[in-house]
Amino acid sequence: FAGALAGRARVPVRLVDELLSTVEAERSLRSAGRSARSSRRVVDQAAAVVVLQAALDLERSTGRPPGSPVERVPVTGTGDR
């Protein structure tokens, strides 16, 4: 999927580690007073924020883009809608 996305994207695609992002998001939501039940709908959104913030922080601290670059895979067919 990442290679096909890179083949269509007009910007570079990079993969970053998302390990434990959901755990961190759940912890953050709990500390904000959200119950596990009320957090179910937003935990993936919160995890995405954790991943993005970590990537931005890493780039800011190192001066290099985070993650690993993805090679473009040629996409066959139009598939455009």
Side-chain angles (χ1 to χ4, degrees):
F1 175 78
L5 176 63
R8 288 185 176 266
R10 293 190 171 113
V11 296
V13 174
R14 302 182 71 83
L15 297 178
V16 296
D17 185 10
E18 63 168 326
L19 185 65
L20 301 177
S21 61
T22 300
V23 172
E24 179 62 31
E26 289 170 340
R27 184 179 300 131
S28 177
L29 290 167
R30 275 195 312 275
S31 72
R34 302 279 308 246
S35 69
R37 182 180 178 112
S38 70
S39 296
R40 281 189 203 137
R41 291 184 154 176
V42 297
V43 72
D44 288 337
Q45 295 170 25
V49 170
V50 169
V51 171
L52 179 58
Q53 189 61 59
L56 292 171
D57 290 346
L58 182 63
E59 184 170 7
R60 189 178 306 123
S61 68
T62 64
R64 295 178 305 179
S68 305
V70 175
E71 284 203 36
R72 294 173 179 250
V73 173
V75 180
T76 58
T78 59
D80 294 330
R81 297 179 190 218

